[in-house]
Amino acid sequence: TEIYTLSLHDALPISILARLAGSDREVKTAATSSGLPDTELLTGTRATGDALRRIAAKRPEVVHFAVHVVSPEARPQEAALALSLTSDGMPELLTPEAVASYRVPGSLVVMSGCDSEQGKTVPSAGLIGLSRAWLLAGAAAVIVSAWPTPDDSGQFFSAFYAHFQKHSGPLAKRASLALQEAQLDMQRGGGYRSSPSFWAAYSIIAKE
C-alpha cells in the first residue's frame, strides 16, 4: 500500500499559507511512478490526521507528504506538517508529538515540504524534529529537505520512484540509491532542474 497526502490550501487565506498549486500533480505523478499496486490519495478535506492514522494502520510501504511545513519562530524542533482545514478554518497541524504516536513500522516517509529537515540538535540525542518523530513511529527511513523547495509538478519524485521500484533489498538502501539516481538525473537533464537549488535539498535519514 502507498499513501500520498496533501493539504487543501485553496480555501486558506493567503495571509496564512499560500496555495500549493503543484502538490496535487506531484502526488498523482508519484503514485503512478511508484509502480505499487495499491495507492490511496488523501487530498483536500480528506487530508486529516484521523484519516492518516486509519490508513497508517494498514502498514503502508510509503507515506508521501506534499504540504507546507510550519514552525514557531526560533523553535525548529516544533515544526509541523500543515494538513487540511479544521472547523475553525485553520490548517490541522501534524506536530512531532502527534507523529510519534503513529505506527508506521518499516515505512518510507517522504516530506516534500520546505525545510522539512529542520529541528534542534540536542547533545546525546541528535536532531529533534519531524524526522526523528517519524523514526520513533517506526519508519525505516525519512526523506527530508534542507531548504525551501519549489512547488513543482513532481518531476523529481517521478524520477525517484521510478528508480525506487527497480531496486530490491532493505527499504532504506533502496530509497538511498533511488534518491542519488534521481539527483543525478536532474543534474544531467539541463534546464532549471539541473541547478543544485532544485535537487540538492533532499537527503535521507534512516535507522539502517
Side-chain angles (χ1 to χ4, degrees):
T1 300
E2 192 162 6
I3 305 170
Y4 296 91
T5 68
L6 65 153
S7 299
L8 176 66
H9 294 301
D10 300 80
L12 281 173
I14 194 167
S15 60
I16 300 174
L17 290 175
R19 179 178 179 268
L20 293 174
S23 61
D24 186 64
R25 294 192 302 273
E26 176 182 326
V27 293
K28 290 178 180 177
T29 298
T32 301
S33 302
S34 72
L36 294 177
D38 185 10
T39 65
E40 180 166 354
L41 304 181
L42 298 181
T43 63
T45 57
R46 297 184 63 233
T48 66
D50 287 342
L52 179 60
R53 189 179 297 277
R54 173 181 57 81
I55 299 301
K58 300 179 181 180
R59 303 187 66 168
E61 182 173 354
V62 179
V63 183
H64 185 116
F65 292 92
V67 298
H68 281 294
V69 179
V70 297
S71 62
E73 186 175 358
R75 300 204 300 272
Q77 72 275 19
E78 297 178 22
L81 302 172
L83 302 181
S84 187
L85 298 180
T86 62
S87 58
D88 60 3
M90 296 296 290
E92 178 183 358
L93 298 180
L94 193 60
T95 65
E97 291 77 13
V99 167
S101 71
Y102 282 64
R103 292 296 174 264
V104 288
S107 296
L108 169 66
V109 176
V110 178
M111 292 192 291
S112 175
C114 293
D115 198 14
S116 58
E117 184 184 37
Q118 65 181 294
K120 181 179 181 180
T121 302
V122 177
S124 302
L127 185 68
I128 304 298
L130 283 167
S131 57
R132 182 183 179 89
W134 282 114
L135 293 177
L136 290 173
V142 185
I143 290 180
V144 294
S145 61
W147 57 73
T149 54
D151 181 24
D152 189 60
S153 61
Q155 183 167 335
F156 180 85
F157 283 105
S158 176
F160 168 78
Y161 285 114
H163 289 298
F164 180 73
Q165 66 171 309
K166 296 176 183 177
H167 292 294
S168 59
L171 183 143
K173 181 179 180 180
R174 292 168 58 200
S176 179
L177 290 171
L179 184 63
Q180 181 184 44
E181 291 162 348
Q183 290 173 327
L184 288 173
D185 287 348
M186 298 299 107
Q187 187 177 7
R188 296 166 179 166
Y192 74 91
R193 292 187 179 92
S194 65
S195 170
S197 64
F198 180 81
W199 55 263
Y202 301 105
S203 61
I204 187 167
I205 300 171
K207 294 180 177 180
E208 301 173 8

